Amino acid sequence: MARITASVYTSHVPAIGAAIDLGKTTEPYWQPMFQGYDYSKQWMKDNKPDVIFLVYNDHATAFSLDMIPTFAIGTAAEFIPADEGFGPRPVPKVIGHPDLASHIAHSVIQQDFDLTIVNKMEVDHGLTVPLSLMCGEPAAWPCPVIPFAVNVVQYPVPSGQRCFNLGKAIRKAVESYDEDLNVHIWGTGGMSHQLQGARAGLINREWDNAWLDQMIADPAACAKTPHIDYVREAGSEGVELVMWLIARGAMQDIAGDPCSIRVKHRFYHVPASNTAVGHLILQDV
C-alpha cells in the first residue's frame, strides 16, 4: 500500500521566490534565511518521495473572489506556474498524479469531507516557493505533486480542528491506495504576519515558537486553537497555520504510536519581507 512517511512545513512568502529567481539568495539580508534550508535540501535528496501531497492556499490566482472552495484537490496531469502580475516564476511545471489524487478525493469525500475536484488550474507562489526552498532550482521537480488548496483568504475559513481531522482522513485515503508509494505531505503558509491595516508588519516570535512546540508535542490541543487567537497573536494572515494541521494530522503518531515520529529539522527566522518564516520536518521513525 501507499504510505505517508514524512511531513514538511514551511512558509511560502512570495518575496522568497523573487529572491531565488533574481539571484539574491547570498545577499546579507537573505542568506541567513536560505541557510536554514540547506539541511532540508539534502534531506530531500536522501529521502526523495514518490509523490508530494502539498497543502497550500491560492492567492486569488486559480480561484477569484467570485468562487472560493474551502478545500480543492488538483487531479490534473500537470499544473503550470501562474502569472501573478510579474510573469510566471521561471520554475518547472508541476507534474501531477491523477490516479492517486482521484483516489484520495473519492476516499476523503466518502469520509464526509466535501472537496472540490479541480481538473485544470495554475499554481501560484503558495505551491512553487516551498518546492524551490526544498528542492533548489532543478530542471524538473523531483517527483509528482498533488496540489491541495485551502481557503484561508476569505472568511469563513476552516477551523484548525477541521483541518486536523482532514489530515487523518487523507492518511487513511493514502493507505488504502493499492500501490507501493512513499508519500510526503506538506503544510505551507504562515507564520505570523499581517499585510494590511494598523498592524501591518506584525511578527510575534514568541507566539510562533510556542505554537510550533504545541503542534509537535500536543497537536490535538493545538488543533483547538480558535481563529481569534491566530488573528490576535499572529496577524490576519497568521490563520494560514491551520494548513499545517492538515499535514500534522496525517502523521503516524496521530494514528497510533505516540513515539513514532522524529523531528528531523526545525528552523525559524525573522524577517523575510514582512513575514516570520517557520520550517519543520517530521519523519516516521
Side-chain angles (χ1 to χ4, degrees), residues 212-225:
L212 265 177
D213 290 341
Q214 187 180 52
M215 191 196 72
I216 295 167
D218 191 359
C222 188
K224 293 180 171 62
T225 302

Side-chain angles (χ1 to χ4, degrees), residues 68-73 113-117 148-151 158-159 162-163 166 246:
I68 309 175
T70 301
F71 301 118
I73 186 167
F113 286 90
D114 297 324
L115 304 186
T116 298
I117 311 302
F148 192 86
V150 180
N151 171 38
S159 68
R162 182 73 167 164
C163 290
L166 176 57
I246 296 178

Side-chain angles (χ1 to χ4, degrees), residues 26-95:
T26 59
E27 292 184 0
Y29 179 86
W30 287 109
Q31 188 173 33
M33 195 225 72
F34 284 105
Q35 285 177 339
Y37 288 83
D38 287 345
Y39 173 91
S40 308
K41 290 176 184 175
Q42 187 59 50
W43 178 87
M44 272 293 291
K45 293 176 182 177
D46 296 339
N47 299 273
K48 189 176 87 68
D50 298 311
V51 183
I52 295 168
F53 187 94
L54 202 155
V55 182
Y56 74 109
N57 66 288
D58 177 75
H59 300 79
T61 301
F63 309 110
S64 74
L65 296 182
D66 293 335
M67 182 185 68
I68 309 175
T70 301
F71 301 118
I73 186 167
T75 54
E78 64 181 32
F79 305 90
I80 304 301
D83 182 348
E84 299 180 66
F86 300 94
R89 288 193 62 214
V91 296
K93 66 182 178 182
V94 174
I95 303 302

Side-chain angles (χ1 to χ4, degrees), residues 70-165:
T70 301
F71 301 118
I73 186 167
T75 54
E78 64 181 32
F79 305 90
I80 304 301
D83 182 348
E84 299 180 66
F86 300 94
R89 288 193 62 214
V91 296
K93 66 182 178 182
V94 174
I95 303 302
H97 198 301
D99 287 346
L100 178 58
S102 297
H103 172 85
I104 291 172
H106 177 85
S107 175
V108 168
I109 289 170
Q110 290 299 309
Q111 294 177 69
D112 299 327
F113 286 90
D114 297 324
L115 304 186
T116 298
I117 311 302
V118 186
N119 294 312
K120 180 181 180 181
M121 69 175 175
E122 296 180 346
V123 290
D124 66 17
H125 72 270
L127 184 137
T128 63
V129 166
L131 287 171
S132 295
L133 284 169
M134 294 295 295
C135 307
E137 299 177 80
W141 300 122
C143 67
V145 177
I146 298 174
F148 192 86
V150 180
N151 171 38
V152 288
V153 174
Q154 180 70 48
Y155 277 83
V157 303
S159 68
Q161 186 66 62
R162 182 73 167 164
C163 290
F164 187 60
N165 292 342

Side-chain angles (χ1 to χ4, degrees), residues 228-239:
I228 190 61
D229 285 12
Y230 289 101
V231 175
R232 181 180 59 244
E233 301 294 342
S236 54
E237 279 68 47
V239 77

Side-chain angles (χ1 to χ4, degrees), residues 171-211:
R171 183 179 187 92
K172 184 176 179 181
V174 170
E175 290 181 341
S176 66
Y177 187 69
D178 191 18
E179 186 178 342
D180 185 19
L181 293 177
N182 176 16
V183 179
H184 290 179
I185 184 167
W186 294 15
T188 72
M191 298 191 80
S192 63
H193 63 300
Q194 180 154 326
L195 302 180
Q196 69 287 308
R199 298 199 306 164
L202 179 148
I203 291 176
N204 190 339
R205 180 193 298 263
E206 291 74 21
W207 192 89
D208 283 342
N209 280 288
W211 187 90

Side-chain angles (χ1 to χ4, degrees), residues 224-264:
K224 293 180 171 62
T225 302
H227 285 157
I228 190 61
D229 285 12
Y230 289 101
V231 175
R232 181 180 59 244
E233 301 294 342
S236 54
E237 279 68 47
V239 77
E240 289 180 354
L241 285 168
V242 298
M243 295 187 292
W244 294 32
L245 288 164
I246 296 178
R248 188 66 183 91
M251 290 303 291
Q252 174 60 33
D253 64 315
I254 307 302
D257 181 3
C259 300
S260 61
I261 63 162
R262 178 179 295 126
V263 176
K264 299 297 293 183

